[in-house]
Amino acid sequence: RDDVSDWSSDVCSSDLGAAARWEASLSLAMPYLTDNPDTAFVVRERVRNGELMQLKALIKEGIDFKTCFLAPGPTVRGYTPLHIAAFGTAKPNYDRDIVEVILQAAKKAGSEAESAVRAAKDLIDGETPLDLAKQRLAKVDANPPKPGADDKDFLDEKKRLDKMIEWIEKGLPAS
């Protein structure tokens, strides 16, 4: 019986150590799971995750547009939130709405901010959000549904992307 209790305590203590190491590495890898004071990072994560309502709430709180939407993210490509939305989020059905929310916030920040957010270039290829949205539409166009198949989802995605491209290219229509 002593050998069983020794074994179980060794296993339990080694499991706790592994769990603590895993939790620590997780908080470093995904700081948005903690109380991250970097609002720009949180905004990019909300966009990346397709969290439309949370993004709207952050904007409503009065976050700094220049810091959160114009500065490149601390990644290899340095995508802005508009780049992320144009490339595609975790919830593609919200991408058009996220683009609209970002462009509305840009419009409120002034014409210079609106132009800058639409013209932002990534750090590697110099691609703009418009370039990414057009590439995404080209991928959709390259994979149409088979003849006779239901094409509703395909057409809906094309419509969303066409609208995103129009807004990124020309700006939102005057309301």
Side-chain angles (χ1 to χ4, degrees):
R1 284 284 180 229
D2 287 337
D3 55 341
V4 171
S5 66
D6 287 345
W7 175 82
S8 66
S9 65
D10 287 346
V11 169
C12 290
S13 61
S14 68
D15 285 351
L16 290 174
R21 283 190 304 279
W22 179 80
E23 188 174 314
S25 70
L26 184 64
S27 67
L28 290 174
M30 296 187 289
Y32 63 91
L33 293 177
T34 64
D35 293 329
N36 190 329
D38 182 357
T39 306
F41 178 85
V42 174
V43 166
R44 285 189 302 278
E45 282 304 301
R46 296 296 173 254
V47 172
R48 189 173 288 113
N49 293 326
E51 297 171 350
L52 176 63
M53 299 313 291
Q54 292 87 340
L55 178 63
K56 283 182 174 184
L58 283 169
I59 292 169
K60 190 175 181 180
E61 287 175 18
I63 58 175
D64 180 55
F65 184 84
K66 187 175 182 180
T67 304
C68 294
F69 291 97
L70 293 179
T75 60
V76 173
R77 290 200 172 271
Y79 278 176
T80 65
L82 189 58
H83 278 99
I84 295 166
F87 183 78
T89 70
K91 297 177 183 170
N93 289 343
Y94 292 127
D95 292 355
R96 183 190 69 94
D97 297 325
I98 290 172
V99 166
E100 183 178 19
V101 165
I102 292 170
L103 292 175
Q104 283 172 343
K107 202 173 199 177
K108 286 181 184 172
S111 61
E112 192 176 300
E114 185 180 7
S115 295
V117 76
R118 291 180 14 232
K121 295 182 177 190
D122 83 20
L123 302 176
I124 292 182
D125 302 320
E127 291 180 321
T128 65
L130 180 61
D131 296 328
L132 297 176
K134 286 180 175 180
Q135 289 169 18
R136 191 169 160 194
L137 179 59
K139 286 179 188 173
V140 169
D141 281 339
N143 295 302
K146 293 186 168 118
D150 183 14
D151 60 355
K152 183 186 178 324
D153 291 340
F154 172 77
L155 294 174
D156 287 347
E157 179 68 3
K158 277 188 58 100
K159 225 186 297 186
R160 279 192 298 272
L161 289 170
D162 283 337
K163 190 53 78 174
M164 282 172 48
I165 289 168
E166 176 187 330
W167 288 341
I168 295 170
E169 195 168 35
K170 300 175 184 170
L172 293 174
S175 38

